[in-house]
Amino acid sequence: MQQVLPDHAGSKRWDSLMHYLGPDTQVKNSAGNTWTSDNSRNVVCGTSSSWTAHPSDASVGTVDCDEFAMASTHESGGYPGTTQKPNPNLVKKGTECAQLFTDKMGDGSANFGLLADTRTATKGPTGTERCARAAIARVQNQMAFNGFPAPAWRMLDGDGFFLTLPGFEHCTSTATTCTWKKIG
C-alpha cells in the first residue's frame, strides 16, 4: 500500500518520510492523556472501527487487523495531528481505509498474498484511500515491526524516517500481484 496510497508514506522512491509517534508527543486524547499508537490503532482497527476478518484458508491461521500507515506514525489514519499540522490521512473509522486480507494464492504453492476485500468495495481499493487495513496472519503482524528500536535510535516525536520493503517496490498498483512465503 505504500506505493499505492496517495502520500506514499515512508517511500524513498517518492521522497515521502514517515514521522515517528513518540511518547514525547504533545497531542492528547479525549481523556487528556498523551496520544499513543493504541489510540491511532483503535480508530483504524479497534472495536468501534467496524472491522471483521475476511474468511481465509485455515492454513493462514489466526488473523489480526493491521494498518498502514502504521499506528506508531503521524501518517496513521487514526492519528489526529495538531491544529498547526493536521493529518491529511485522518479517517473517522477504518471503513474509510482500503480493505485487504491475506490468503493462499490458489496456485498450488505455499505462497500467500494480500488480496482486495471486496465484500463492501466490490471493485477493491481505488488507490485514493488515505490508509489501509488488512486481515494479516497474527505471526506476521506481531513480528513485522517488533525490531523497530526507536528508543535505541533516540527518535523523538515527529522524527522522519523511510521504510524500505525490499522485494516489494514493484507493487505499484492494486492490479499487481505481490506474493510472499508464510513464516512461522
Side-chain angles (χ1 to χ4, degrees), residues 128-143:
T128 61
E129 297 86 357
R130 304 308 301 177
C131 55
R133 68 179 183 178
I136 298 291
R138 180 168 287 163
V139 68
Q140 294 280 344
N141 188 29
Q142 291 176 349
M143 297 304 293

Side-chain angles (χ1 to χ4, degrees), residues 1-5 7-11 14 18 68 163-165:
M1 292 313 298
Q2 180 186 55
Q3 299 301 319
V4 175
L5 295 176
D7 74 343
H8 308 289
S11 173
W14 295 96
M18 281 188 166
F68 189 84
L163 175 69
T164 59
L165 304 165

Side-chain angles (χ1 to χ4, degrees), residues 11-74:
S11 173
K12 277 188 177 183
R13 175 180 175 212
W14 295 96
D15 194 25
S16 179
L17 291 169
M18 281 188 166
H19 298 87
Y20 176 60
L21 174 59
D24 56 326
T25 186
Q26 300 301 304
V27 176
K28 304 292 182 195
N29 61 25
S30 60
N33 299 318
T34 300
W35 190 272
T36 67
S37 58
D38 286 340
N39 296 124
S40 293
R41 188 174 295 108
N42 285 335
V43 172
V44 177
C45 286
T47 55
S48 66
S49 70
S50 302
W51 182 76
T52 56
H54 188 286
S56 310
D57 188 88
S59 63
V60 172
T62 304
V63 296
D64 289 336
C65 180
D66 192 21
E67 71 283 346
F68 189 84
M70 292 86 67
S72 58
T73 68
H74 287 214

Side-chain angles (χ1 to χ4, degrees), residues 6 8 15 24 28 30 52 61 79 82 85 87-88 97-98 104 113 118 140 150 158 170 176 178-180:
H8 308 289
D15 194 25
D24 56 326
K28 304 292 182 195
S30 60
T52 56
Y79 179 71
T82 65
K85 190 174 180 189
N87 178 6
C97 300
K104 289 185 80 165
T118 57
Q140 294 280 344
H170 69 285
T176 304
C178 298
T179 61
W180 69 90

